[in-house]
Amino acid sequence: MFSHTSAQAADYTHVVVGAGAVGLAIARKLAERDGTSTLLIERHGSVGTETSSRNSEVIHAGIYYGPTSLKTELCLKGKRMMYDLCEEKRIPYRNCRKWILAQNSQQHEQLDKTHEFAKSIGVPTNFISLAEAQSQEPDVHAANAVLESPTTGIIDSHSYMSYLESDFQSKGGDLVCHTEVNGIETATQGYRIHTTSPTGDTASITSETLINSAGLAAVPLSNSLLPPERHLKPYYAKGSYYSYAGSHPRPKRLIYPAPTTGAAGLGTHLTMDMTGAIRFGPDVEWVDDPNDLSVNEDRLSAALDEIQSYLPSIDREKVMLDYAGIRPKLGKGSAVASGKGDGFSDFYIKKEEGFEGFVNLLGIESPGLTSSLAIADKTLRASSALLKHISSEIDRKAATSSTKILLQPSLDTFDENDGMDVEPVWLSLTTKKHIVDQRRLKPGKIPLPHSLNQSPTTTVCLITCDPQRQVKDTVAHPSFPTALSSRITKVIGISKLKARYQSFESRRQLFNAHDVFLADDRVVTMLPKVLGKIFYQSPKKPVPVSLQPYRQTNASGKRVAAKAADEKTKTIAPPLQVAKEIEKTINCALVHLSPSNNTSVRVGYSSFTAQQIADNVEAVVAGLVEKFIPQGWRNIRAVNIKGPNTMALPIWLADELWVDEADVLEKEEETARDLTAVAKQGGKKPKEEALNKAADDDQGRVSKRARGDEAATNGERKKKRRVEDTDLSKEMRERREKLREQKRLNKAEMQGLEEGKKETAIAA
């Protein structure tokens, strides 16, 4: 935290904006590389909640997009990679095949062209006779021809993205949700990314490389950086999906109408999920608002007519509105490439000229999910040249720069022939829920058993309340430790700080003149306005230190409130107490909680012994859990340690990564405690009332959910976040039911234990 170099390094080597399927795949691939650090930023509360989860979940064959397009290249490669990954990692998928239907001779001609193109790029397709098609799918109507695509399939996109997320984080990547990027600008370190949290808190980070994979927000984000003549216009194609509640018909394949040249979509087709439930969509409705996810009921009738053209036995009354998704497009042209001025828009994946390290991914719509792994490979190649350049620059600067690492272990402990670099070791803690720090101007402090500052040459600037003379006299007092007073090279009051350091140049000189800045905690909240960005966007952010006398305690041991007169005079503690507080502050690990679900704290250096690192890790984790993490261990997802150029080494991983039902878990813990109490009491009367109450609470929650519209009017209900993703809702319901079943089994076990004790007593 206190290190200083003549040229500040960026916070990350890579920042990826947008945690959809493509952003996750890119971040995961980047995190695999040695010597890199990757941050993935997502504006929503979890990954993949926009286009990536509001689509057909189809693994496309790649037969619509023309011979030279990126869509074709990446879809073909991505399809193979996706099937291999699903097989290797047991991600749910099904190679269910797809039928493309022609109802007239014109559509038959279109299928012939599709078949010939598929052969030219090596993708298998074959025509099925109408008799054979009728035998295999008697409910499907094809008046003229059926073209089969045997490599088309479906995937559980949520399981896929969940795997990418966990694999990315296991490789040392950092994920921040609930964080919206509202601006980017060039910086000496690469790019500065400005972010905002849902509570309005702002922050900024720097990165050597920036990958814009923001989906629906990608074009506006790109336009915020590129000059006006390179701006693009975003187009938003909303597609509505419809579910089917009937038990018949239930085709076993994906059913698509013949593609129409010039149409912005592939028609309202039939797809299915991993359970076999069928759905229809999407259609195309152009909208101006990318957040408009309402399903348009007026479009249902037209959709039903198109569905009934290939599935005539469908029960129209059982087709219902389901959900909508929006595809980011770069134009209103055709979704199928015909080469006849149809306005077909390809993927835009480009390392922007004149903006070294800025990679744009725009218009990533279908087949974006299928292509996600291949896009990640391509993006990695685009940034490889930059990484090579950065590496050579680091080597050059290491040979010529007068870099000074100030707070690190003494280099005297090393053998000159070891060839080791002293690098920091970080503890990375990931929480399940977003954390908002209410005291961002005052970083938290956690005492360490092994100090991070072992250099006797570190210089300290101490910023105090007025009058500064009191503190100067305290530091100069004979009882103040000489070793510490020699390191405090400047003491300045807040009034003189304001008067003397108004210009940027004067602040820069102050910044460079001292290694560590400490501030009386009574004035630390005034300093951002006084010192500005040069301090608060650097590792030299002033650290609060208490210079006030300890409050007296009464007979009961409680501290007595300070008198108003004492507060007004701004009294300073005795010299030994001030020295103790300064030493403690310098030797603490500092905790800066940015609005995110990930926190990194320095816990040592590569020169520390394994036991020293372990001791510091234990102290920092205990301090974070006790003082900074709401709900303590229950809210912690993972604890890792890592170096600046290494992958993360996991220390602890939660058994359940996605639990949000805290009330259910609390009841489960109460049940576990009751079982333990019964065992310790040797069969004494169990706490049946507590268990019955927990069961009643669960039943009450079930009843509350069952009230539907009545509960929706309740004020508490309005505050709860609506889970629009049906698959996720189903998963959570199954998890809650599993927990309740466990509770019933625990209760039965307790009752059996009690009955066994009674029988034993009777027999005796």
Side-chain angles (χ1 to χ4, degrees), residues 352-365:
E352 295 291 356
E353 183 179 355
F355 293 83
E356 189 69 26
F358 179 52
V359 182
N360 247 336
L361 293 91
L362 311 178
I364 309 299
E365 49 156 342

Side-chain angles (χ1 to χ4, degrees), residues 404-438:
K404 180 183 178 186
I405 305 299
L406 297 165
L407 283 193
Q408 67 176 31
S410 173
L411 299 182
D412 296 338
T413 59
F414 287 99
D415 187 322
E416 292 182 357
N417 298 320
D418 285 348
M420 293 180 61
D421 292 326
V422 179
E423 293 189 335
V425 177
W426 297 88
L427 174 94
S428 176
L429 186 144
T430 305
T431 57
K432 299 175 185 176
K433 293 184 179 180
H434 185 76
I435 295 177
V436 178
D437 183 17
Q438 302 297 331

Side-chain angles (χ1 to χ4, degrees), residues 5 50 94 100 212-213 218 259 289 297 492 519 567 575:
T5 62
E50 282 190 355
R94 187 187 308 163
I100 311 171
N212 176 17
S213 180
D289 182 6
E297 188 173 1
I492 185 169
E567 290 293 321

Side-chain angles (χ1 to χ4, degrees), residues 16 95 114 156 207 260 287 329 401 471-472 477 509 535:
V16 181
N95 184 195
T114 303
D156 182 344
S207 176
T260 302
V287 296
K329 289 179 173 283
S401 174
V471 181
K472 285 187 173 182
H477 195 275
Q509 292 177 1
F535 282 84

Side-chain angles (χ1 to χ4, degrees), residues 261 341 689 750:
T261 300
E689 293 181 359
M750 291 175 61

Side-chain angles (χ1 to χ4, degrees), residues 208 385-397:
E208 296 167 359
L386 176 65
L387 286 174
K388 185 176 180 180
H389 170 72
I390 292 171
S391 178
S392 63
E393 280 295 294
I394 291 174
D395 292 340
R396 182 185 65 81
K397 290 179 181 179

Side-chain angles (χ1 to χ4, degrees), residues 190-204:
Y191 296 91
R192 182 168 295 282
I193 301 103
H194 299 280
T195 65
T196 306
S197 73
T199 60
D201 291 328
T202 59
S204 67

